[in-house]
Amino acid sequence: MKEDTRIVRGKFKGDPLTGAIEPPIYQSTTYVLEEIGKNKGFDYTRASNPTRQILEEHLALIEGGKYAVAFSSGLSACDACFRLLKAGDNIVASLDMYGGVSRLLNNLFVPNNFSVSYVDTTNLEEVEKAVKNNTKMLWVETPSNPNLCISDLEGLNKIAKKYNLIYAVDSTFATPYLLKPLEFGTDLVIQSTTKYLSGHNQIIGGAVITNDEKFYEKLKFYQKAIGAVPSPFDCYLTLLGLKTLHIRMKKHCENAQIISKFLEENFEIKKVIYPGLKSHPQYKIAKKQMKGFSGMITFELKGDFERAVRFMNSLNLCSLAESLGGTETMVTHPASMTHTEVPKEIREKLGLTDTLIRLSVGLEDPEDIIEDLNNAIENSKII
């Protein structure tokens, strides 16, 4: 099957009992045994569930992997991956990454004798220099959050294989429609299904996709043992969202390209970061390894913190929200929303300045989005 067909159909052929074209929601905790030691493949929903199994098969198929393990959130998926390591191990990780993952590492794993070396994963030389004798995992976000750094997955794969590292890539911003990290040799692909995959701001979820049976078996054990599993209804909603992933991503990319050019040409904008612009430092790598550039744009306003707040409060169509990947355009101001507890000097070191804005471009008419952004830019000027 061609990719668009795989995304729409998955492996589900209709419900064998009723012929229902959509997967049923198996909202059951437990399952009746035919006799002692014999079941129909399911015994308790924490361990496995028919609706969740259909979702996992669908995710593996569109990612180009053999196995997928679904979790109740993107962070619980990340947590399961880190549990593949043991105390004393080191992780080399992207410096620019989702704050929830660094919080998880710094507050739960580092105090338990793990160490993390944060590096610029767009710099292969810096990555290799960071590898230590106890380094066991290379953790990469591409495109990264929020600075949209694009890492060379093929180059990083050579380093991971050279030092026998578990190679994990969080590809949430790209989705499997635009980027398939497994094709570049990665061991684990992490997706926050909360975002583009479900696509409608309805559910919280995550998944890990792999071709390695040993990793799969361990992740399935963690899924069962810890119990951070998505509900059958959440799996059903994610499956509905997946059916339109290819259509939505094409529109997200198209809109973001138009809007990024508008921002780049606006005198009040200091800097625009979008992988689809030739001004992006890793534009050539993005073009080589991605099918499209996704719907995320990061930009800096001219001015100060107060101007950024005025800009955010002047928006009408664009929603002030801390998530991304939905049908609606959402705007986040890290300094006043997601990173308020981070000291200013550390934020600025990470590139999260007081005027940095993250834009998740939705599916509206791009002219309406541009009009709203332009009005906010004008209204936020110092009079």
Side-chain angles (χ1 to χ4, degrees), residues 225-241:
I226 298 169
V229 294
S231 73
F233 187 56
D234 284 353
C235 292
Y236 169 78
L237 290 175
T238 305
L239 282 163
L240 289 184

Side-chain angles (χ1 to χ4, degrees), residues 73-364:
S73 68
L75 279 172
S76 59
C78 295
D79 177 79
C81 292
F82 298 138
R83 289 177 185 274
L84 295 170
L85 306 175
K86 64 181 186 302
D89 288 347
N90 169 262
I91 303 168
V92 173
S94 294
L95 176 63
D96 190 55
M97 66 156 63
Y98 170 50
V101 179
S102 58
R103 179 180 61 219
L104 173 66
L105 286 169
N106 296 339
N107 292 284
L108 292 180
F109 283 88
V110 171
N112 285 289
N113 200 30
F114 292 79
S115 62
V116 185
S117 303
Y118 294 102
V119 300
D120 176 5
T121 50
T122 68
N123 186 325
L124 298 179
E125 184 178 342
E126 185 177 333
V127 172
E128 187 160 14
K129 283 183 178 179
V131 176
K132 306 174 183 178
N133 291 334
N134 64 332
T135 302
K136 301 299 180 183
M137 177 178 280
L138 174 58
W139 183 274
V140 181
E141 258 190 38
T142 186
S144 65
N145 183 4
N147 286 311
L148 306 179
C149 301
I150 305 295
S151 296
D152 180 353
L153 295 184
E154 192 171 7
L156 290 170
N157 179 54
K158 292 177 182 177
I159 297 172
K161 296 300 180 282
K162 179 178 178 180
Y163 295 97
N164 195 30
L165 309 179
I166 299 173
Y167 185 18
V169 174
D170 185 330
S171 185
T172 295
F173 276 21
T175 79
Y177 184 66
L178 302 179
L179 175 67
K180 290 181 170 58
L182 292 173
E183 293 180 354
F184 297 89
T186 59
D187 297 306
L188 307 170
V189 178
I190 298 86
Q191 295 284 354
S192 172
T193 56
T194 312
K195 312 302 193 299
Y196 286 113
L197 295 188
S198 59
H200 293 79
N201 293 316
Q202 295 174 327
I203 65 100
I204 299 290
V208 184
I209 302 91
T210 184
N211 282 322
D212 190 299
E213 187 175 2
K214 290 182 180 179
F215 288 146
Y216 168 69
E217 293 296 339
K218 288 182 179 180
L219 292 167
K220 283 296 290 183
F221 174 77
Y222 300 149
Q223 181 194 53
K224 176 182 177 178
I226 298 169
V229 294
S231 73
F233 187 56
D234 284 353
C235 292
Y236 169 78
L237 290 175
T238 305
L239 282 163
L240 289 184
L242 281 177
K243 288 177 178 288
T244 59
L245 176 66
H246 56 307
I247 297 173
R248 289 185 287 106
M249 292 314 298
K250 288 174 185 176
K251 181 62 173 174
H252 282 301
C253 292
E254 178 186 316
N255 278 1
Q257 193 73 42
I258 294 169
I259 292 162
S260 65
K261 288 181 179 178
F262 154 75
L263 291 168
E264 194 171 46
E265 294 168 359
N266 192 296
F267 181 74
E268 295 297 320
I269 304 300
K270 184 178 179 181
K271 179 174 69 173
V272 180
I273 307 171
Y274 181 64
L277 293 175
K278 291 183 179 179
S279 58
H280 191 286
Q282 294 95 40
Y283 169 75
K284 290 182 179 179
I285 295 174
K287 192 173 182 181
K288 177 183 176 182
Q289 68 187 24
M290 296 177 71
K291 188 175 177 179
F293 305 109
S294 197
M296 301 302 299
I297 302 172
T298 298
F299 63 95
E300 276 190 75
L301 279 167
K302 290 182 179 179
D304 54 16
F305 179 87
E306 286 70 25
R307 191 202 177 165
V309 172
R310 289 197 302 273
F311 168 83
M312 298 292 286
N313 290 337
S314 298
L315 292 167
N316 183 31
L317 177 69
C318 303
S319 302
L320 306 188
E322 293 186 5
S323 192
L324 61 101
T327 56
E328 306 87 358
T329 296
M330 295 177 282
V331 185
T332 301
H333 179 225
S336 67
M337 296 170 72
T338 57
H339 292 74
T340 53
E341 296 178 10
V342 180
K344 183 176 180 179
E345 60 274 15
I346 296 178
R347 279 195 289 105
E348 291 185 344
K349 185 179 179 181
L350 296 173
L352 308 179
T353 65
D354 284 347
T355 58
L356 190 79
I357 309 293
R358 192 190 73 185
L359 180 65
S360 174
V361 178
L363 305 182
E364 305 93 343

